[in-house]
């Protein structure tokens, strides 16, 4: 993982590390080592986020990703997580991975229920509200990104798709 500031490239962490997101202040998030998330502040302060993958960071400093959590079965599984000023937040105890994040702090994610059925959703950590993102035809959904208007791009079956999530849906 590396970052370019003022025309200079600097290594953030060792071999095998990845920088996954950067915000307007120049804060960087990603992963290094044995599935350890990191946050690099704009002034170069490195913070280990624990057994996690930090996928993105918005301009308010909210980080989205997943952390490794011991489930009730005793197995360690990924759990969608937002790192906020209020601490670590997760929408539920299910298995899942965060894909994107917008300025409002809405997290784009996918998960698996207790029967290993795949589902996709957008989640607001501030209210814990979730909106499921599905195909009208029941096709497989793959999410790509979410913007600040709540528009989500991805794929439903073999076709490009846009979902529009309104603010009232995530209150």
């Amino acid at each position: 993982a590396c970052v370019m500031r003022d025309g200079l490239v600097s290594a953030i962490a060792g071999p095998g590390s990845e920088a996954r997101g950067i915000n307007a202040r120049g804060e960087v998030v990603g992963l290094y080592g044995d599935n350890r998330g990191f946050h690099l502040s704009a002034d170069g302060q490195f913070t280990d986020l624990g057994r996690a993958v930090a996928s993105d960071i918005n301009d308010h400093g909210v980080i989205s990703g997943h952390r490794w959590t011991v489930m009730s079965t005793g197995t360690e599984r990924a759990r969608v997580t937002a790192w906020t000023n209020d601490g670590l937040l997760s929408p539920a105890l299910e298995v899942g991975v965060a894909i994107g994040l917008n300025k409002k702090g809405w997290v784009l994610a996918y998960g698996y229920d207790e029967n290993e059925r795949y589902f996709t959703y957008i989640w607001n950590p501030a209210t814990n509200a979730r909106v499921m993102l599905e195909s009208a035809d029941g096709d497989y959904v793959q999410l790509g990104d979410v913007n600040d208007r709540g528009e989500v791009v991805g794929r439903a079956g073999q076709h490009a798709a846009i979902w529009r999530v309104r603010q009232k849906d995530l209150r």
Side-chain angles (χ1 to χ4, degrees):
C2 60
V3 64
M4 180 186 285
R5 293 195 174 126
D6 300 322
L8 298 173
V9 177
S10 302
I12 297 172
S17 61
E18 294 178 30
R20 296 261 179 113
I22 187 169
N23 66 13
R25 290 191 301 249
E27 296 174 285
V28 179
V29 296
L31 71 146
Y32 75 103
D34 183 25
N35 282 310
R36 300 205 61 91
F38 74 81
H39 171 256
L40 182 73
S41 69
D43 63 3
Q45 179 69 37
F46 184 90
T47 302
D48 181 321
L49 298 175
R51 288 214 10 98
V53 173
S55 299
D56 206 357
I57 183 168
N58 69 14
D59 293 343
H60 299 291
V62 174
I63 299 169
S64 68
H66 63 275
R67 60 190 159 108
W68 298 100
T69 304
V70 177
M71 306 302 275
S72 59
T73 60
T75 59
E76 190 178 49
R77 303 291 295 268
R79 186 169 174 206
V80 172
T81 301
W83 287 261
T84 71
N85 291 336
D86 296 327
L88 297 175
L89 302 173
S90 292
L93 289 174
E94 66 224 2
V95 174
V97 174
I99 296 169
L101 175 73
N102 69 9
K103 190 181 290 185
K104 295 177 184 181
W106 296 358
V107 177
L108 190 60
Y110 68 87
Y112 294 92
D113 67 15
E114 63 277 356
N115 298 312
E116 296 296 323
R117 287 183 301 239
Y118 174 83
F119 60 94
T120 55
Y121 61 96
I122 190 168
W123 166 58
N124 182 352
T127 63
N128 207 32
R130 287 196 301 184
V131 173
M132 304 306 274
L133 301 172
E134 301 172 335
S135 164
D137 299 328
D139 292 328
Y140 176 82
V141 171
Q142 182 177 350
L143 304 176
D145 202 6
V146 58
N147 69 16
D148 297 334
R149 293 189 308 252
E151 296 167 330
V152 176
V153 294
R155 185 177 87 189
Q158 295 299 313
H159 304 282
I162 298 176
W163 292 263
R164 290 182 176 87
V165 180
R166 294 175 303 277
Q167 175 67 39
K168 69 178 183 174
D169 294 334
L170 287 173
R171 281 192 206 140

